[in-house]
Amino acid sequence: MHTPANDYNATPARRALDALAGDTEDRAAMDALASSDVLIPVPDDAATEDALDPATVALPVMEQPGGDPTVPVFTSEPAMAALLPFVSRYRLVPLGALASQWPSEDLALTIDAGSPHPLTLTSEGVRTLLARS
């Protein structure tokens, strides 16, 4: 039977996050995550031209409970809809490519916030652990 829960866990990135929850040193899981595509929410107020420009990606920034800024990305549409049901547009971006261009300021990356096994990395962690492709 096809259910949204099955879709939620179906992506290689989601399976990698689940593996990393059990073993943070799992190199195969980190490599799989780095080579996966993620969904980056596009705010509804963003201009269509900006949302479709392949040369740039606007990073949505949210404040974490401690006040630290983080960029939320997601492994699937169901994962994104669970936390941000109001987002109607997104960009599909290779996580490794995003990480290799990560800003130098102190900006964290959270993958699948609100899921059973989210992953939050510091800006240094993003560049060193995920910029593999």
Side-chain angles (χ1 to χ4, degrees), residues 33-38 73 93-100 109 111 130-131 133:
L33 188 60
S35 65
S36 296
D37 290 339
V38 292
V73 299
V93 176
L95 186 55
L98 179 65
S100 69
L109 173 75
I111 305 169
L130 295 179
S133 57

Side-chain angles (χ1 to χ4, degrees), residues 27-120:
R27 301 292 295 180
M30 192 59 75
D31 289 342
L33 188 60
S35 65
S36 296
D37 290 339
V38 292
L39 288 65
I40 301 176
V42 173
D44 286 336
D45 61 353
T48 301
E49 310 82 57
D50 295 337
L52 298 176
D53 183 353
T56 62
V57 175
L59 298 176
V61 178
M62 299 175 74
E63 295 294 320
Q64 289 185 349
D68 298 327
T70 188
V71 174
V73 299
F74 300 90
T75 60
S76 66
E77 287 181 355
M80 185 172 65
L83 186 67
L84 302 172
F86 54 87
V87 173
S88 60
R89 299 183 296 172
Y90 60 84
R91 299 280 300 268
L92 189 63
V93 176
L95 186 55
L98 179 65
S100 69
Q101 301 295 317
W102 198 252
S104 60
E105 67 259 12
D106 194 23
L107 185 62
L109 173 75
T110 300
I111 305 169
D112 280 358
S115 75
H117 300 131
L119 177 65
T120 298

Side-chain angles (χ1 to χ4, degrees), residues 102-108 121-131:
W102 198 252
S104 60
E105 67 259 12
D106 194 23
L107 185 62
L121 297 169
T122 64
S123 59
E124 181 180 334
V126 171
R127 288 189 301 273
T128 59
L129 296 175
L130 295 179

